Amino acid sequence: MLLLPRAGGAARGWGGGAAGRSPPALAALSQVLRLERSRRTGVVFPLEKLARSLAPGADTARFRLFQPGLAALQRAETLFRSGRDHAIDYVSSAVRMDHAPPPALPEVCFIGRSNVGKSSLIRALFSLSPEVEVRVSKTPGHTKKMNFFKVGKKFILVDMPGYGYRAPQDFVEMVEAYLQERHNLKRTFLLVDGVVGLQKTDHIAVDMLEEFGIPYVMVLTKIDRASRGALLKNVLEIQEFVKEKTQGCFPQLFLVSSLEFSGVHLLRCFVAHVTGNLPTVDAN
């Protein structure tokens, strides 16, 4: 699994248009591949590393349904690295669907409770493209509109307003209209706080996605802040919930830390896959 280190490319700037600065540690696969094997696995496949804490003989099938090899991870990374013929740009913001850009490309959206770390995760995904500005605030509920980011001619990523505390007054109308009308939407990424697990407002979001028949996947954020025991408990409970109570949710959870870049490379690969830009994924 990711046994051989590869030579890295030139350093790039990061965040808020700060070109010329180096990207965060481990933002690029070339940096991850220099780590020793156990830590490398924890960064790229954090769910697999967590599975090692299970009792012998435990069913781990749902821990490794999407487990791409190195070549797929590298191809996916190129989509999130801007270039002369592959610009990654903030396009526009919208509060109504008639203000949204034309649905010309495959689209994914990220949604979750206020302060779940949504904008921080999107910033981590785009960390190899310094010109992409994703505003991150310490104040919950900072995102009030749907923010659209165009990734070359490949796909669009949408940062949705947070629900719960300090959600926009028209949140329900805005999000329901988007989910029902955006026919180019390929997958919704529902972010859940990995420290506290599913909350009441998260269940409401799940009910909405299930009602509309929207394919979605759950992403557990802030895993660097959770103890291994608490994280494993939340993962097992959510996996059981997904298995027993949902129909449209991908059965594998994705674990991420925007601070340590755990799971970010795998999530880039899954986004590339569901948008049709990585139709075949070689298994690890």
Side-chain angles (χ1 to χ4, degrees), residues 27-43:
L29 269 171
S30 59
Q31 298 165 320
V32 178
L33 292 170
R34 298 189 181 105
L35 302 174
E36 57 88 18
R37 182 170 182 171
S38 176
R39 191 177 174 208
R40 190 162 65 226
T41 300
V43 172

Side-chain angles (χ1 to χ4, degrees), residues 74-136:
Q74 290 174 320
R75 290 199 304 273
E77 183 175 284
T78 64
L79 293 175
F80 288 86
R81 191 187 292 271
S82 60
R84 181 177 300 177
D85 299 319
H86 182 68
I88 301 176
D89 299 307
Y90 161 77
V91 178
S92 64
S93 296
V95 294
R96 300 199 313 266
M97 289 310 300
D98 54 356
H99 293 166
L105 294 173
E107 200 160 280
V108 293
C109 77
F110 283 62
I111 190 171
R113 286 192 304 117
S114 298
N115 206 34
V116 76
K118 179 168 45 63
S119 296
S120 294
L121 175 57
I122 294 173
R123 188 179 183 185
L125 291 170
F126 288 140
S127 59
L128 299 174
S129 298
E131 70 281 9
V132 180
E133 183 174 358
V134 183
R135 295 182 180 180
V136 178

Side-chain angles (χ1 to χ4, degrees), residues 126-241:
F126 288 140
S127 59
L128 299 174
S129 298
E131 70 281 9
V132 180
E133 183 174 358
V134 183
R135 295 182 180 180
V136 178
S137 173
K138 293 182 179 179
T139 304
H142 178 77
T143 305
K144 299 294 186 183
K145 301 178 180 180
M146 299 177 287
N147 297 319
F148 294 79
F149 297 87
K150 185 179 180 183
V151 181
K153 299 177 181 178
K154 301 300 184 179
F155 66 92
I156 289 177
L157 187 150
V158 187
D159 183 4
M160 302 293 284
Y163 53 78
Y165 178 66
R166 296 192 66 184
Q169 283 188 327
D170 54 353
F171 173 84
V172 174
E173 293 81 359
M174 187 192 314
V175 174
E176 285 190 353
Y178 173 84
L179 293 175
Q180 290 182 299
E181 299 176 21
R182 205 67 173 173
H183 301 303
N184 59 325
L185 179 63
K186 300 302 180 182
R187 193 75 51 132
T188 293
F189 290 76
L190 176 59
L191 274 56
V192 175
D193 191 321
V195 178
V196 299
L198 282 172
Q199 301 294 292
K200 182 179 179 180
T201 48
D202 297 320
H203 284 279
I204 295 173
V206 168
D207 290 343
M208 179 173 60
L209 293 167
E210 290 285 334
E211 178 183 351
F212 295 157
I214 305 293
Y216 62 104
V217 59
M218 288 196 198
V219 180
L220 271 64
T221 63
K222 305 180 183 179
I223 64 170
D224 54 287
R225 299 186 186 180
S227 67
R228 177 171 296 188
L231 183 60
L232 183 60
K233 176 178 179 291
N234 287 335
V235 165
L236 294 175
E237 289 179 352
I238 295 173
Q239 280 186 334
E240 188 64 20
F241 171 80

Side-chain angles (χ1 to χ4, degrees), residues 54-75:
L54 293 172
D59 182 9
T60 60
R62 286 176 288 171
F63 283 74
R64 49 174 59 94
L65 295 175
F66 185 78
Q67 196 173 35
L70 177 58
L73 291 163
Q74 290 174 320
R75 290 199 304 273

